Amino acid sequence: MKSVHLATIRLFLHVLAATIWVGGQITLAALVPVLRRAGTEIPRAAARRFNQVAWPAFGVLVVTGVWNVIAVRSQITGSYEITLVVKLMVVAISGVTAALHACAGSTAGRVIFGALTGVSALAALFLGIVLAG
């Protein structure tokens, strides 16, 4: 069996948290139309419950993301650095739009901020893969 290193644990935690943050959003978006048929409060209840898992996952993403940057700091030059900066901006957009989505008072606000959160989360995931090489 291959040995497990701290870098493996760091990457595992980062990918696990990304799975929850991004995958959970996709799953919840797919379920909302069905949940609405069960009652108007059901989607809100599901979203509140998801937030109890999603926000800690986002926190783990940020912490392990910082840990990842520290681990590869010697590689952060040129195109890697530009890609990393873009990813950090996209991650910030994902977090801010998710918070705005949760606080939105109108359906239009929830739709717009939800879409921006989903697209930016997918973009962050893609850029993470680009960085991993």
mmCIF file of all heavy atoms in Angstrom, residues 90-123:
data_model
loop_
_atom_site.group_PDB
_atom_site.id
_atom_site.type_symbol
_atom_site.label_atom_id
_atom_site.label_comp_id
_atom_site.label_asym_id
_atom_site.label_seq_id
_atom_site.Cartn_x
_atom_site.Cartn_y
_atom_site.Cartn_z
ATOM 1 N N VAL A 90 -12.421 34.223 -8.052
ATOM 2 C CA VAL A 90 -13.625 33.446 -8.335
ATOM 3 C C VAL A 90 -14.163 32.811 -7.050
ATOM 4 O O VAL A 90 -15.381 32.768 -6.832
ATOM 5 C CB VAL A 90 -13.344 32.397 -9.433
ATOM 6 C CG1 VAL A 90 -14.483 31.427 -9.597
ATOM 7 C CG2 VAL A 90 -13.052 33.088 -10.759
ATOM 8 N N VAL A 91 -13.276 32.341 -6.190
ATOM 9 C CA VAL A 91 -13.695 31.779 -4.897
ATOM 10 C C VAL A 91 -14.386 32.858 -4.058
ATOM 11 O O VAL A 91 -15.431 32.601 -3.456
ATOM 12 C CB VAL A 91 -12.492 31.174 -4.140
ATOM 13 C CG1 VAL A 91 -12.836 30.873 -2.689
ATOM 14 C CG2 VAL A 91 -11.996 29.923 -4.840
ATOM 15 N N ALA A 92 -13.818 34.054 -4.046
ATOM 16 C CA ALA A 92 -14.436 35.155 -3.301
ATOM 17 C C ALA A 92 -15.815 35.470 -3.862
ATOM 18 O O ALA A 92 -16.778 35.662 -3.098
ATOM 19 C CB ALA A 92 -13.535 36.390 -3.350
ATOM 20 N N ILE A 93 -15.938 35.498 -5.175
ATOM 21 C CA ILE A 93 -17.239 35.746 -5.810
ATOM 22 C C ILE A 93 -18.231 34.658 -5.411
ATOM 23 O O ILE A 93 -19.394 34.949 -5.099
ATOM 24 C CB ILE A 93 -17.091 35.832 -7.347
ATOM 25 C CG1 ILE A 93 -16.342 37.112 -7.728
ATOM 26 C CG2 ILE A 93 -18.456 35.760 -8.040
ATOM 27 C CD1 ILE A 93 -15.870 37.144 -9.169
ATOM 28 N N SER A 94 -17.778 33.414 -5.389
ATOM 29 C CA SER A 94 -18.645 32.300 -5.015
ATOM 30 C C SER A 94 -19.177 32.467 -3.590
ATOM 31 O O SER A 94 -20.367 32.285 -3.333
ATOM 32 C CB SER A 94 -17.893 30.972 -5.156
ATOM 33 O OG SER A 94 -18.724 29.885 -4.831
ATOM 34 N N GLY A 95 -18.298 32.825 -2.675
ATOM 35 C CA GLY A 95 -18.716 33.009 -1.281
ATOM 36 C C GLY A 95 -19.639 34.201 -1.092
ATOM 37 O O GLY A 95 -20.672 34.108 -0.421
ATOM 38 N N VAL A 96 -19.293 35.326 -1.730
ATOM 39 C CA VAL A 96 -20.108 36.533 -1.597
ATOM 40 C C VAL A 96 -21.484 36.330 -2.220
ATOM 41 O O VAL A 96 -22.509 36.676 -1.616
ATOM 42 C CB VAL A 96 -19.385 37.755 -2.218
ATOM 43 C CG1 VAL A 96 -20.322 38.945 -2.348
ATOM 44 C CG2 VAL A 96 -18.167 38.128 -1.381
ATOM 45 N N THR A 97 -21.525 35.755 -3.417
ATOM 46 C CA THR A 97 -22.830 35.562 -4.060
ATOM 47 C C THR A 97 -23.675 34.520 -3.322
ATOM 48 O O THR A 97 -24.903 34.632 -3.293
ATOM 49 C CB THR A 97 -22.693 35.196 -5.552
ATOM 50 O OG1 THR A 97 -21.871 34.033 -5.686
ATOM 51 C CG2 THR A 97 -22.107 36.355 -6.348
ATOM 52 N N ALA A 98 -23.038 33.538 -2.697
ATOM 53 C CA ALA A 98 -23.790 32.567 -1.892
ATOM 54 C C ALA A 98 -24.421 33.255 -0.682
ATOM 55 O O ALA A 98 -25.580 32.987 -0.343
ATOM 56 C CB ALA A 98 -22.888 31.423 -1.446
ATOM 57 N N ALA A 99 -23.669 34.146 -0.047
ATOM 58 C CA ALA A 99 -24.221 34.888 1.088
ATOM 59 C C ALA A 99 -25.357 35.799 0.629
ATOM 60 O O ALA A 99 -26.399 35.883 1.296
ATOM 61 C CB ALA A 99 -23.122 35.704 1.761
ATOM 62 N N LEU A 100 -25.181 36.457 -0.511
ATOM 63 C CA LEU A 100 -26.246 37.314 -1.051
ATOM 64 C C LEU A 100 -27.474 36.493 -1.434
ATOM 65 O O LEU A 100 -28.609 36.932 -1.233
ATOM 66 C CB LEU A 100 -25.723 38.105 -2.255
ATOM 67 C CG LEU A 100 -24.679 39.178 -1.924
ATOM 68 C CD1 LEU A 100 -24.069 39.736 -3.198
ATOM 69 C CD2 LEU A 100 -25.266 40.281 -1.055
ATOM 70 N N HIS A 101 -27.252 35.306 -1.973
ATOM 71 C CA HIS A 101 -28.353 34.409 -2.315
ATOM 72 C C HIS A 101 -29.153 34.049 -1.059
ATOM 73 O O HIS A 101 -30.390 34.077 -1.068
ATOM 74 C CB HIS A 101 -27.804 33.140 -2.976
ATOM 75 C CG HIS A 101 -28.814 32.060 -3.170
ATOM 76 N ND1 HIS A 101 -29.734 32.081 -4.183
ATOM 77 C CD2 HIS A 101 -29.048 30.921 -2.470
ATOM 78 C CE1 HIS A 101 -30.499 31.002 -4.100
ATOM 79 N NE2 HIS A 101 -30.095 30.281 -3.067
ATOM 80 N N ALA A 102 -28.441 33.721 0.009
ATOM 81 C CA ALA A 102 -29.107 33.326 1.257
ATOM 82 C C ALA A 102 -29.905 34.472 1.864
ATOM 83 O O ALA A 102 -30.924 34.245 2.516
ATOM 84 C CB ALA A 102 -28.076 32.806 2.258
ATOM 85 N N CYS A 103 -29.462 35.707 1.630
ATOM 86 C CA CYS A 103 -30.130 36.874 2.212
ATOM 87 C C CYS A 103 -31.124 37.536 1.271
ATOM 88 O O CYS A 103 -31.814 38.472 1.684
ATOM 89 C CB CYS A 103 -29.081 37.912 2.613
ATOM 90 S SG CYS A 103 -27.949 37.344 3.891
ATOM 91 N N ALA A 104 -31.189 37.093 0.042
ATOM 92 C CA ALA A 104 -32.038 37.740 -0.962
ATOM 93 C C ALA A 104 -33.503 37.704 -0.536
ATOM 94 O O ALA A 104 -34.005 36.672 -0.092
ATOM 95 C CB ALA A 104 -31.863 37.080 -2.319
ATOM 96 N N GLY A 105 -34.164 38.830 -0.687
ATOM 97 C CA GLY A 105 -35.565 38.921 -0.296
ATOM 98 C C GLY A 105 -36.538 38.669 -1.436
ATOM 99 O O GLY A 105 -37.731 38.559 -1.207
ATOM 100 N N SER A 106 -36.014 38.562 -2.638
ATOM 101 C CA SER A 106 -36.899 38.357 -3.786
ATOM 102 C C SER A 106 -36.501 37.094 -4.542
ATOM 103 O O SER A 106 -35.362 36.635 -4.458
ATOM 104 C CB SER A 106 -36.806 39.551 -4.742
ATOM 105 O OG SER A 106 -35.529 39.582 -5.364
ATOM 106 N N THR A 107 -37.448 36.573 -5.290
ATOM 107 C CA THR A 107 -37.166 35.396 -6.113
ATOM 108 C C THR A 107 -36.098 35.727 -7.146
ATOM 109 O O THR A 107 -35.186 34.927 -7.376
ATOM 110 C CB THR A 107 -38.455 34.902 -6.809
ATOM 111 O OG1 THR A 107 -39.410 34.584 -5.801
ATOM 112 C CG2 THR A 107 -38.192 33.689 -7.669
ATOM 113 N N ALA A 108 -36.194 36.900 -7.755
ATOM 114 C CA ALA A 108 -35.203 37.303 -8.761
ATOM 115 C C ALA A 108 -33.801 37.350 -8.150
ATOM 116 O O ALA A 108 -32.835 36.884 -8.767
ATOM 117 C CB ALA A 108 -35.569 38.659 -9.358
ATOM 118 N N GLY A 109 -33.683 37.891 -6.953
ATOM 119 C CA GLY A 109 -32.386 37.948 -6.273
ATOM 120 C C GLY A 109 -31.843 36.562 -6.000
ATOM 121 O O GLY A 109 -30.650 36.293 -6.213
ATOM 122 N N ARG A 110 -32.719 35.680 -5.539
ATOM 123 C CA ARG A 110 -32.272 34.310 -5.266
ATOM 124 C C ARG A 110 -31.810 33.616 -6.543
ATOM 125 O O ARG A 110 -30.803 32.910 -6.548
ATOM 126 C CB ARG A 110 -33.376 33.513 -4.571
ATOM 127 C CG ARG A 110 -33.515 33.848 -3.090
ATOM 128 C CD ARG A 110 -34.453 32.887 -2.361
ATOM 129 N NE ARG A 110 -35.830 32.981 -2.832
ATOM 130 C CZ ARG A 110 -36.706 33.891 -2.426
ATOM 131 N NH1 ARG A 110 -36.356 34.790 -1.540
ATOM 132 N NH2 ARG A 110 -37.943 33.900 -2.889
ATOM 133 N N VAL A 111 -32.547 33.830 -7.628
ATOM 134 C CA VAL A 111 -32.190 33.196 -8.903
ATOM 135 C C VAL A 111 -30.851 33.736 -9.412
ATOM 136 O O VAL A 111 -29.952 32.973 -9.774
ATOM 137 C CB VAL A 111 -33.306 33.402 -9.955
ATOM 138 C CG1 VAL A 111 -32.835 33.007 -11.339
ATOM 139 C CG2 VAL A 111 -34.549 32.613 -9.558
ATOM 140 N N ILE A 112 -30.711 35.056 -9.436
ATOM 141 C CA ILE A 112 -29.484 35.672 -9.963
ATOM 142 C C ILE A 112 -28.280 35.293 -9.113
ATOM 143 O O ILE A 112 -27.257 34.837 -9.638
ATOM 144 C CB ILE A 112 -29.643 37.203 -10.058
ATOM 145 C CG1 ILE A 112 -30.651 37.546 -11.155
ATOM 146 C CG2 ILE A 112 -28.298 37.883 -10.313
ATOM 147 C CD1 ILE A 112 -31.131 38.979 -11.133
ATOM 148 N N PHE A 113 -28.390 35.474 -7.804
ATOM 149 C CA PHE A 113 -27.246 35.168 -6.936
ATOM 150 C C PHE A 113 -26.965 33.669 -6.876
ATOM 151 O O PHE A 113 -25.819 33.250 -6.788
ATOM 152 C CB PHE A 113 -27.444 35.751 -5.536
ATOM 153 C CG PHE A 113 -27.387 37.253 -5.515
ATOM 154 C CD1 PHE A 113 -28.408 37.989 -4.941
ATOM 155 C CD2 PHE A 113 -26.322 37.940 -6.076
ATOM 156 C CE1 PHE A 113 -28.370 39.378 -4.917
ATOM 157 C CE2 PHE A 113 -26.264 39.328 -6.062
ATOM 158 C CZ PHE A 113 -27.291 40.051 -5.486
ATOM 159 N N GLY A 114 -28.010 32.857 -6.958
ATOM 160 C CA GLY A 114 -27.807 31.405 -6.997
ATOM 161 C C GLY A 114 -27.063 30.981 -8.244
ATOM 162 O O GLY A 114 -26.142 30.159 -8.190
ATOM 163 N N ALA A 115 -27.449 31.557 -9.371
ATOM 164 C CA ALA A 115 -26.768 31.234 -10.632
ATOM 165 C C ALA A 115 -25.311 31.689 -10.593
ATOM 166 O O ALA A 115 -24.405 30.945 -11.008
ATOM 167 C CB ALA A 115 -27.498 31.880 -11.804
ATOM 168 N N LEU A 116 -25.077 32.901 -10.091
ATOM 169 C CA LEU A 116 -23.699 33.402 -9.991
ATOM 170 C C LEU A 116 -22.858 32.534 -9.049
ATOM 171 O O LEU A 116 -21.679 32.275 -9.312
ATOM 172 C CB LEU A 116 -23.694 34.856 -9.523
ATOM 173 C CG LEU A 116 -24.197 35.880 -10.533
ATOM 174 C CD1 LEU A 116 -24.345 37.250 -9.878
ATOM 175 C CD2 LEU A 116 -23.281 35.940 -11.740
ATOM 176 N N THR A 117 -23.477 32.074 -7.972
ATOM 177 C CA THR A 117 -22.767 31.198 -7.040
ATOM 178 C C THR A 117 -22.393 29.889 -7.720
ATOM 179 O O THR A 117 -21.248 29.431 -7.611
ATOM 180 C CB THR A 117 -23.628 30.906 -5.794
ATOM 181 O OG1 THR A 117 -23.952 32.131 -5.167
ATOM 182 C CG2 THR A 117 -22.898 30.010 -4.805
ATOM 183 N N GLY A 118 -23.332 29.291 -8.424
ATOM 184 C CA GLY A 118 -23.074 28.023 -9.098
ATOM 185 C C GLY A 118 -22.004 28.135 -10.165
ATOM 186 O O GLY A 118 -21.071 27.319 -10.223
ATOM 187 N N VAL A 119 -22.100 29.162 -10.997
ATOM 188 C CA VAL A 119 -21.119 29.341 -12.073
ATOM 189 C C VAL A 119 -19.732 29.630 -11.501
ATOM 190 O O VAL A 119 -18.727 29.056 -11.950
ATOM 191 C CB VAL A 119 -21.569 30.473 -13.031
ATOM 192 C CG1 VAL A 119 -20.459 30.875 -13.990
ATOM 193 C CG2 VAL A 119 -22.806 30.050 -13.804
ATOM 194 N N SER A 120 -19.663 30.478 -10.489
ATOM 195 C CA SER A 120 -18.355 30.797 -9.913
ATOM 196 C C SER A 120 -17.769 29.599 -9.159
ATOM 197 O O SER A 120 -16.548 29.386 -9.181
ATOM 198 C CB SER A 120 -18.432 32.036 -9.016
ATOM 199 O OG SER A 120 -19.368 31.868 -7.970
ATOM 200 N N ALA A 121 -18.608 28.802 -8.525
ATOM 201 C CA ALA A 121 -18.110 27.596 -7.849
ATOM 202 C C ALA A 121 -17.546 26.604 -8.861
ATOM 203 O O ALA A 121 -16.486 26.007 -8.636
ATOM 204 C CB ALA A 121 -19.232 26.950 -7.032
ATOM 205 N N LEU A 122 -18.242 26.437 -9.984
ATOM 206 C CA LEU A 122 -17.731 25.553 -11.040
ATOM 207 C C LEU A 122 -16.439 26.099 -11.633
ATOM 208 O O LEU A 122 -15.494 25.335 -11.914
ATOM 209 C CB LEU A 122 -18.779 25.369 -12.136
ATOM 210 C CG LEU A 122 -19.944 24.460 -11.774
ATOM 211 C CD1 LEU A 122 -21.048 24.571 -12.822
ATOM 212 C CD2 LEU A 122 -19.478 23.019 -11.613
ATOM 213 N N ALA A 123 -16.361 27.406 -11.805
ATOM 214 C CA ALA A 123 -15.137 28.018 -12.332
ATOM 215 C C ALA A 123 -13.966 27.812 -11.362
ATOM 216 O O ALA A 123 -12.841 27.492 -11.790
ATOM 217 C CB ALA A 123 -15.355 29.506 -12.586
#
